[in-house]
């Protein structure tokens, strides 16, 4: 497993495991146990996924030493602000049954993110979290956060897959020494991505699946990827991407699939106000 180095020197696996849409606690717990057994060391959850407890149970049962794992969770919008962030962090830590986190992200760029960021810097300085970052922040919001606080996020987790490649954003993040992390590396299967003709041809050439090609393409570009699956055979498939390399012509062919548009939500869409108001977490 390859690790990358964050801007504070902390090492993070380039490939991890995501647990969004695993609402069934038993299923989530088993999936995380299976993922760790497969070899994944980075687990990506969020308070809003409502499964931190199951992830924590799985970590305990896995038998893998805590320091070998890299655990990420995220602060939800309704917990924004200094005091709320401190309380939400402790709640997440308790649910995960951990005494420190590896990465804590502001999940969405809404609410009092400056208060949140101040609280997160303190948690970082107290050693309760090894790195702090953001998610779904457009470059202008990243710039705003940095210029207002002077503290550079370690990571920005954003939608990144062959149909939405985020090349300009990646350059902006790299220029500012911020690690890009892909959510939805398979676009959740939308637009028949697993059967895409360009990807299928490349996959056949390398005797790999289209899923493996997508993950190889991301990680070869220096993007951290966190695919989700509840099936153990797919976890193994998605993990098995370090024994081949995509040559420049394949990388260039995949570039042609970019639509430069989100397949999920545009954060500047006015419907986001309603969407967010329907997703309040109870503390
Ligand atoms: N910060 C943010 O705002 C967001 C963060 N995330 C994070 O990113 C992670 C990954 O993104 P996610 O939204 O889950 O979507 P993904 O792009 O990882 O796609 C997951 C889907 O692909 C299927 N799948 C997985 N592996 C294969 C395979 N080898 N062949 C065929 N199908 C496969 C899964 O089905 P099955 O499970 O049945 O195998 C599931 O339906 C999340 O779990 C979460 O941790 C996600 C969304 C937003
Ligand atoms: O992590 C996430 C998963 O996707 C959701 C959108 O459907 C968001 O809540 C969130 O950003």
């Amino acid at each position: 497993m390859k690790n990358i180095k964050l801007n504070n020197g902390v090492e993070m696996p380039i490939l991890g495991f995501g647990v969004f849409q695993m609402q069934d606690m038993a299923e989530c717990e088993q999936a995380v146990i299976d993922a760790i057994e497969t070899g994944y060391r980075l687990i990506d959850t969020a308070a809003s996924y409502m499964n931190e407890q199951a992830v924590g149970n799985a970590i305990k049962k896995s038998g893998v030493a805590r320091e070998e794992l890299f655990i990420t969770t995220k602060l939800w919008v309704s917990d924004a602000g200094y005091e709320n962030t401190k309380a939400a962090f402790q709640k997440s830590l308790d649910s995960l049954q951990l005494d420190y986190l590896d990465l804590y992200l502001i999940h969405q760029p809404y609410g009092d993110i400056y208060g949140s960021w101040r609280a997160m810097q303190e948690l970082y300085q107290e050693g309760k979290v090894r790195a702090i970052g953001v998610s779904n922040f457009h470059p202008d919001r990243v710039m705003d956060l940095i210029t207002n606080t002077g503290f550079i996020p370690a990571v920005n987790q954003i939608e990144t897959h062959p149909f939405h490649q985020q090349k300009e954003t990646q350059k902006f993040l790299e220029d500012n020494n911020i690690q890009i992390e892909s959510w939805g590396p398979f676009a959740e299967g939308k637009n028949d991505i697993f059967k895409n003709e360009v990807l299928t041809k490349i996959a056949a050439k390398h005797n790999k699946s289209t899923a493996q090609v997508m993950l190889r393409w991301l990680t070869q570009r220096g993007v951290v990827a966190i695919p989700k699956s509840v099936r153990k055979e797919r976890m193994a498939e998605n993990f098995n991407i370090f024994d081949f390399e995509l040559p420049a012509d394949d990388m260039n062919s995949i570039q042609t699939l970019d639509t430069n548009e989100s397949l999920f939500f545009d954060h500047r869409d006015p419907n986001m106000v309603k969407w967010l108001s329907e997703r309040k977490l109870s503390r």
Side-chain angles (χ1 to χ4, degrees), residues 22-72:
M22 291 191 198
Q23 275 100 353
D24 179 302
M25 291 304 102
E27 180 185 61
C28 180
E29 186 177 314
Q30 190 56 50
V32 175
I33 290 173
D34 289 346
I36 294 175
E37 203 175 283
T38 301
Y40 292 89
R41 292 295 175 262
L42 156 56
I43 310 294
D44 181 272
T45 184
S48 70
Y49 302 169
M50 314 296 277
N51 59 17
E52 290 173 315
Q53 188 83 37
V55 171
N57 294 345
I59 292 170
K60 268 200 169 148
K61 289 183 184 170
S62 75
V64 171
R66 169 67 185 95
E67 58 276 16
E68 280 185 37
L69 297 169
F70 189 101
I71 309 300
T72 304

Side-chain angles (χ1 to χ4, degrees), residues 18 20 44 135-136 157 186 188 226 228-230 234 238:
F20 177 46
D44 181 272
S135 177
N136 299 305
Q157 184 184 110
F186 305 139
E188 291 181 10
I226 45 168
K228 170 259 176 189
S229 180
V230 291
R234 285 184 177 169
N238 297 343

